[in-house]
Amino acid sequence: MTFTAKKVDRTLVSREEIREFVTRLGKQISKDYEGEELYLICVLKGSFMFMADLIRELDVPCQIDFMSVSSYAGEKSTGIVKINKDLDRNISGKHVLLIEDIVDTGITLNHLVNLLSTRNPASLKIVTAFDKPERRQVEIDVHYIGMEIPNEFIVGYGLDLDGYYRELPDVVVLSD
Ligand code: PRP
C-alpha cells in the first residue's frame, strides 16, 4: 500500500491531556495494588505507547507481557478474535492488568477476558487509554479509563489508520 498523507482536521486529545490522565491512572493503580505485584499485558499493537508511559508512573513491582490479537470480521465485527501471539508466561495466581489503547465495541476485550479468566489469575482488571462507550456491543467492566471520547475516528498515540499515524503524540481526527 502506498501512503497518502491526510491532513489533521483537529486535535481531540492533546499530549498534555494524555500526560495528565496517565499520571492519574498510575497513581490510582499504584494505590490499588499496594503490596502486590502486577503482571501487565499490552494488547498489541495500539497499546504499546500507553503501556510505555503508564509503566513509568507505577510504583509497584511489575512484569510485562504482550499479546497480539486480530478480529476477522469482513466489513462488520463478528466477534471472532484470533490470537496471533499468546503470552510468554503462565498467569495463574498473578494480578493481571490488561492494557488497551481503546475500547470500542468491547468484542476484543470480552474475548480476552473470557480466555484469560480460564487461566486462573489472582485478579484480572482492564485499563484503557480511551473509551468509546457509544460504540459498545458487548458489556464489559473497564476498571480504569483515561478518557471517554465521542464516536469519531481517531489516530495517534498508538492508534492507527491502515497501520499509519501511530507515532503522533496527540490524538487527532483526520480530514476526509
Ligand atoms: C483496536 C484496539 C482494541 C480493539 C478495540 O485494535 O487496540 O484491541 O481494536 O476494539 P473493540 O472494542 O471493537 O474490540 P486493532 O484491531 O485496531 O489492532 P491494533 O491495536 O493492532 O491497531
Side-chain angles (χ1 to χ4, degrees):
M1 181 193 288
T2 321
F3 175 69
T4 313
K6 291 194 178 206
K7 282 199 175 134
V8 172
D9 180 49
R10 66 187 193 282
T11 297
L12 190 71
V13 189
S14 69
R15 65 199 76 183
E16 290 79 16
E17 289 173 292
I18 293 171
R19 198 175 308 128
E20 270 174 37
F21 76 64
V22 171
T23 305
R24 169 176 54 80
L25 290 172
K27 281 196 181 123
Q28 183 67 52
I29 293 166
S30 300
K31 189 164 161 253
D32 292 354
Y33 289 89
E34 198 181 344
E36 307 286 357
E37 271 187 42
L38 260 179
Y39 199 75
L40 303 171
I41 300 177
C42 174
V43 185
L44 293 169
K45 299 181 178 117
S47 309
F48 77 100
M49 208 177 277
F50 179 43
M51 168 137 120
D53 283 348
L54 183 64
I55 198 168
R56 281 175 277 187
E57 299 296 329
L58 294 181
D59 197 18
V60 288
C62 53
Q63 293 180 307
I64 63 169
D65 207 337
F66 298 87
M67 266 186 113
S68 170
V69 299
S70 50
S71 308
Y72 284 88
E75 295 205 343
K76 279 197 171 173
S77 192
T78 61
I80 300 166
V81 180
K82 182 176 172 249
I83 306 291
N84 300 318
K85 185 220 169 286
D86 207 334
L87 298 173
D88 291 339
R89 299 250 185 105
N90 189 336
I91 56 167
S92 173
K94 293 188 165 82
H95 291 289
V96 172
L97 186 60
L98 264 176
I99 303 182
E100 268 289 15
D101 49 346
I102 189 161
V103 185
D104 196 313
T105 63
I107 288 170
T108 308
L109 266 180
N110 184 54
H111 182 86
L112 277 177
V113 166
N114 288 340
L115 173 72
L116 297 179
S117 297
T118 65
R119 300 180 185 180
N120 302 313
S123 67
L124 177 57
K125 284 192 178 181
I126 296 164
V127 56
T128 188
F130 305 105
D131 184 22
K132 263 189 195 174
E134 278 175 59
R135 294 258 308 161
R136 202 74 92 247
Q137 286 180 27
V138 184
E139 210 173 303
I140 181 137
D141 208 0
V142 184
H143 308 88
Y144 303 102
I145 296 168
M147 193 174 275
E148 268 192 20
I149 52 165
N151 185 14
E152 291 194 84
F153 191 84
I154 52 170
V155 296
Y157 199 64
L159 293 156
D160 73 306
L161 170 62
D162 295 331
Y164 294 103
Y165 301 104
R166 294 190 198 273
E167 73 281 8
L168 300 179
D170 305 306
V171 168
V172 304
V173 178
L174 297 171
S175 307
D176 289 334

Short mmCIF file of all heavy atoms in Angstrom, two decimals, residues 139-170:
data_model
loop_
_atom_site.label_atom_id
_atom_site.label_comp_id
_atom_site.label_asym_id
_atom_site.label_seq_id
_atom_site.Cartn_x
_atom_site.Cartn_y
_atom_site.Cartn_z
N GLU A 139 -21.22 -5.80 26.81
CA GLU A 139 -21.00 -5.12 28.08
C GLU A 139 -19.72 -5.64 28.72
O GLU A 139 -19.52 -6.86 28.81
CB GLU A 139 -22.18 -5.38 29.00
CG GLU A 139 -22.41 -4.24 29.96
CD GLU A 139 -23.68 -4.43 30.75
OE1 GLU A 139 -24.75 -4.58 30.12
OE2 GLU A 139 -23.58 -4.45 31.98
N ILE A 140 -18.88 -4.73 29.14
CA ILE A 140 -17.61 -5.15 29.71
C ILE A 140 -17.20 -4.17 30.81
O ILE A 140 -17.45 -2.98 30.69
CB ILE A 140 -16.54 -5.28 28.61
CG1 ILE A 140 -15.22 -5.74 29.19
CG2 ILE A 140 -16.32 -4.01 27.83
CD1 ILE A 140 -14.58 -6.78 28.31
N ASP A 141 -16.63 -4.73 31.86
CA ASP A 141 -16.24 -3.93 33.01
C ASP A 141 -14.84 -3.38 32.78
O ASP A 141 -13.86 -4.12 32.84
CB ASP A 141 -16.26 -4.85 34.24
CG ASP A 141 -16.56 -4.09 35.49
OD1 ASP A 141 -16.75 -2.86 35.40
OD2 ASP A 141 -16.61 -4.72 36.56
N VAL A 142 -14.74 -2.09 32.46
CA VAL A 142 -13.43 -1.47 32.27
C VAL A 142 -13.11 -0.71 33.56
O VAL A 142 -13.80 0.24 33.92
CB VAL A 142 -13.43 -0.52 31.05
CG1 VAL A 142 -12.03 0.03 30.82
CG2 VAL A 142 -13.90 -1.25 29.80
N HIS A 143 -12.06 -1.16 34.25
CA HIS A 143 -11.81 -0.67 35.61
C HIS A 143 -11.14 0.71 35.65
O HIS A 143 -11.40 1.49 36.55
CB HIS A 143 -10.97 -1.69 36.36
CG HIS A 143 -11.56 -3.07 36.29
ND1 HIS A 143 -11.27 -3.95 35.28
CD2 HIS A 143 -12.46 -3.68 37.09
CE1 HIS A 143 -11.96 -5.06 35.47
NE2 HIS A 143 -12.69 -4.93 36.56
N TYR A 144 -10.26 0.96 34.71
CA TYR A 144 -9.55 2.24 34.69
C TYR A 144 -9.64 2.83 33.29
O TYR A 144 -9.27 2.17 32.31
CB TYR A 144 -8.08 2.05 35.04
CG TYR A 144 -7.84 1.37 36.38
CD1 TYR A 144 -7.49 0.02 36.44
CD2 TYR A 144 -7.95 2.09 37.57
CE1 TYR A 144 -7.27 -0.60 37.66
CE2 TYR A 144 -7.73 1.47 38.79
CZ TYR A 144 -7.37 0.13 38.83
OH TYR A 144 -7.15 -0.48 40.03
N ILE A 145 -10.15 4.07 33.21
CA ILE A 145 -10.33 4.72 31.91
C ILE A 145 -9.59 6.06 31.91
O ILE A 145 -9.78 6.89 32.81
CB ILE A 145 -11.84 4.95 31.63
CG1 ILE A 145 -12.56 3.60 31.52
CG2 ILE A 145 -12.03 5.78 30.35
CD1 ILE A 145 -14.08 3.70 31.53
N GLY A 146 -8.75 6.25 30.89
CA GLY A 146 -8.04 7.52 30.77
C GLY A 146 -9.01 8.63 30.41
O GLY A 146 -9.14 9.62 31.12
N MET A 147 -9.74 8.41 29.32
CA MET A 147 -10.65 9.45 28.84
C MET A 147 -11.76 8.84 27.98
O MET A 147 -11.49 7.99 27.15
CB MET A 147 -9.86 10.45 28.00
CG MET A 147 -10.62 11.70 27.70
SD MET A 147 -9.57 12.91 26.87
CE MET A 147 -8.78 13.69 28.25
N GLU A 148 -12.97 9.30 28.24
CA GLU A 148 -14.09 8.92 27.36
C GLU A 148 -14.06 9.84 26.16
O GLU A 148 -13.85 11.04 26.30
CB GLU A 148 -15.42 9.11 28.09
CG GLU A 148 -15.86 7.88 28.80
CD GLU A 148 -17.32 7.98 29.27
OE1 GLU A 148 -18.08 8.80 28.75
OE2 GLU A 148 -17.66 7.21 30.17
N ILE A 149 -14.30 9.23 24.99
CA ILE A 149 -14.27 10.06 23.79
C ILE A 149 -15.53 9.82 22.95
O ILE A 149 -16.14 8.75 23.04
CB ILE A 149 -13.01 9.78 22.93
CG1 ILE A 149 -12.86 8.29 22.66
CG2 ILE A 149 -11.77 10.34 23.57
CD1 ILE A 149 -11.89 8.00 21.57
N PRO A 150 -15.90 10.80 22.14
CA PRO A 150 -17.09 10.63 21.29
C PRO A 150 -16.81 9.65 20.16
O PRO A 150 -15.67 9.24 19.93
CB PRO A 150 -17.34 12.04 20.75
CG PRO A 150 -16.03 12.74 20.86
CD PRO A 150 -15.29 12.13 22.00
N ASN A 151 -17.86 9.29 19.46
CA ASN A 151 -17.74 8.31 18.38
C ASN A 151 -17.16 8.95 17.12
O ASN A 151 -17.87 9.22 16.15
CB ASN A 151 -19.12 7.71 18.10
CG ASN A 151 -19.04 6.59 17.08
OD1 ASN A 151 -17.94 6.10 16.78
ND2 ASN A 151 -20.18 6.21 16.55
N GLU A 152 -15.87 9.17 17.16
CA GLU A 152 -15.17 9.73 16.00
C GLU A 152 -13.95 8.87 15.72
O GLU A 152 -13.39 8.28 16.64
CB GLU A 152 -14.68 11.15 16.31
CG GLU A 152 -15.81 12.14 16.42
CD GLU A 152 -15.28 13.56 16.39
OE1 GLU A 152 -15.08 14.09 15.29
OE2 GLU A 152 -15.08 14.12 17.47
N PHE A 153 -13.55 8.81 14.46
CA PHE A 153 -12.37 8.00 14.12
C PHE A 153 -11.12 8.80 14.45
O PHE A 153 -10.89 9.88 13.94
CB PHE A 153 -12.39 7.61 12.64
CG PHE A 153 -11.34 6.58 12.35
CD1 PHE A 153 -11.61 5.24 12.58
CD2 PHE A 153 -10.08 6.95 11.92
CE1 PHE A 153 -10.62 4.27 12.37
CE2 PHE A 153 -9.10 6.00 11.69
CZ PHE A 153 -9.37 4.66 11.92
N ILE A 154 -10.33 8.22 15.34
CA ILE A 154 -9.14 8.94 15.81
C ILE A 154 -7.87 8.14 15.52
O ILE A 154 -7.90 6.91 15.42
CB ILE A 154 -9.23 9.22 17.33
CG1 ILE A 154 -9.53 7.92 18.11
CG2 ILE A 154 -10.25 10.29 17.62
CD1 ILE A 154 -9.39 8.04 19.61
N VAL A 155 -6.78 8.87 15.38
CA VAL A 155 -5.46 8.25 15.23
C VAL A 155 -4.48 8.99 16.12
O VAL A 155 -4.75 10.08 16.61
CB VAL A 155 -4.96 8.29 13.76
CG1 VAL A 155 -5.86 7.49 12.84
CG2 VAL A 155 -4.81 9.73 13.26
N GLY A 156 -3.32 8.36 16.30
CA GLY A 156 -2.27 8.93 17.12
C GLY A 156 -2.18 8.25 18.47
O GLY A 156 -3.08 7.51 18.85
N TYR A 157 -1.06 8.49 19.16
CA TYR A 157 -0.81 7.86 20.45
C TYR A 157 -1.05 6.34 20.38
O TYR A 157 -1.69 5.75 21.21
CB TYR A 157 -1.66 8.51 21.56
CG TYR A 157 -1.12 8.22 22.94
CD1 TYR A 157 0.13 8.67 23.34
CD2 TYR A 157 -1.86 7.46 23.85
CE1 TYR A 157 0.63 8.38 24.60
CE2 TYR A 157 -1.36 7.17 25.11
CZ TYR A 157 -0.11 7.64 25.48
OH TYR A 157 0.38 7.34 26.73
N GLY A 158 -0.54 5.76 19.31
CA GLY A 158 -0.64 4.30 19.14
C GLY A 158 -1.76 3.86 18.22
O GLY A 158 -1.71 2.78 17.63
N LEU A 159 -2.79 4.70 18.09
CA LEU A 159 -3.94 4.33 17.26
C LEU A 159 -3.65 4.62 15.78
O LEU A 159 -3.03 5.63 15.45
CB LEU A 159 -5.17 5.13 17.70
CG LEU A 159 -5.67 4.80 19.10
CD1 LEU A 159 -6.44 5.98 19.67
CD2 LEU A 159 -6.55 3.56 19.05
N ASP A 160 -4.14 3.74 14.93
CA ASP A 160 -3.73 3.81 13.51
C ASP A 160 -4.88 3.95 12.54
O ASP A 160 -6.05 3.70 12.86
CB ASP A 160 -2.97 2.52 13.14
CG ASP A 160 -3.92 1.33 13.03
OD1 ASP A 160 -4.66 1.06 14.00
OD2 ASP A 160 -3.95 0.69 11.96
N LEU A 161 -4.50 4.31 11.32
CA LEU A 161 -5.35 4.16 10.14
C LEU A 161 -4.52 3.34 9.16
O LEU A 161 -3.45 3.81 8.74
CB LEU A 161 -5.72 5.52 9.53
CG LEU A 161 -6.41 5.47 8.16
CD1 LEU A 161 -7.75 4.74 8.24
CD2 LEU A 161 -6.61 6.86 7.59
N ASP A 162 -4.96 2.15 8.87
CA ASP A 162 -4.20 1.24 7.99
C ASP A 162 -2.73 1.12 8.40
O ASP A 162 -1.84 1.03 7.55
CB ASP A 162 -4.28 1.71 6.52
CG ASP A 162 -5.69 1.61 5.98
OD1 ASP A 162 -6.45 0.74 6.46
OD2 ASP A 162 -6.05 2.41 5.09
N GLY A 163 -2.49 1.13 9.67
CA GLY A 163 -1.13 0.93 10.18
C GLY A 163 -0.31 2.21 10.32
O GLY A 163 0.79 2.19 10.86
N TYR A 164 -0.84 3.33 9.87
CA TYR A 164 -0.11 4.59 9.92
C TYR A 164 -0.64 5.50 11.04
O TYR A 164 -1.68 5.25 11.61
CB TYR A 164 -0.23 5.34 8.59
CG TYR A 164 0.44 4.61 7.45
CD1 TYR A 164 -0.30 3.90 6.51
CD2 TYR A 164 1.83 4.62 7.31
CE1 TYR A 164 0.31 3.22 5.46
CE2 TYR A 164 2.46 3.96 6.26
CZ TYR A 164 1.68 3.26 5.35
OH TYR A 164 2.30 2.59 4.31
N TYR A 165 0.10 6.53 11.28
CA TYR A 165 -0.22 7.62 12.22
C TYR A 165 -0.06 7.25 13.70
O TYR A 165 -0.40 8.03 14.57
CB TYR A 165 -1.65 8.17 12.01
CG TYR A 165 -1.90 8.69 10.63
CD1 TYR A 165 -2.65 7.95 9.72
CD2 TYR A 165 -1.40 9.92 10.23
CE1 TYR A 165 -2.90 8.42 8.44
CE2 TYR A 165 -1.64 10.39 8.95
CZ TYR A 165 -2.39 9.65 8.06
OH TYR A 165 -2.62 10.12 6.80
N ARG A 166 0.44 6.05 13.99
CA ARG A 166 0.57 5.65 15.40
C ARG A 166 1.54 6.56 16.15
O ARG A 166 1.47 6.70 17.36
CB ARG A 166 1.07 4.21 15.50
CG ARG A 166 0.10 3.15 14.99
CD ARG A 166 0.61 1.78 15.38
NE ARG A 166 0.02 0.70 14.60
CZ ARG A 166 -1.13 0.09 14.89
NH1 ARG A 166 -1.82 0.46 15.93
NH2 ARG A 166 -1.57 -0.90 14.13
N GLU A 167 2.48 7.13 15.42
CA GLU A 167 3.56 7.90 16.06
C GLU A 167 3.14 9.29 16.53
O GLU A 167 3.88 9.94 17.26
CB GLU A 167 4.73 8.04 15.07
CG GLU A 167 4.51 9.01 13.91
CD GLU A 167 3.66 8.43 12.77
OE1 GLU A 167 3.11 7.34 12.91
OE2 GLU A 167 3.57 9.12 11.74
N LEU A 168 1.95 9.75 16.13
CA LEU A 168 1.55 11.11 16.50
C LEU A 168 1.41 11.23 18.02
O LEU A 168 0.77 10.40 18.65
CB LEU A 168 0.21 11.48 15.83
CG LEU A 168 0.19 11.46 14.31
CD1 LEU A 168 -1.21 11.82 13.80
CD2 LEU A 168 1.23 12.40 13.72
N PRO A 169 1.99 12.27 18.61
CA PRO A 169 1.94 12.40 20.08
C PRO A 169 0.57 12.82 20.61
O PRO A 169 0.26 12.59 21.78
CB PRO A 169 2.98 13.47 20.39
CG PRO A 169 3.57 13.91 19.10
CD PRO A 169 2.82 13.29 17.97
N ASP A 170 -0.25 13.45 19.77
CA ASP A 170 -1.61 13.83 20.16
C ASP A 170 -2.59 12.89 19.48
O ASP A 170 -2.26 12.27 18.47
CB ASP A 170 -1.93 15.25 19.70
CG ASP A 170 -0.92 16.28 20.18
OD1 ASP A 170 -0.68 16.33 21.40
OD2 ASP A 170 -0.37 17.01 19.33
#
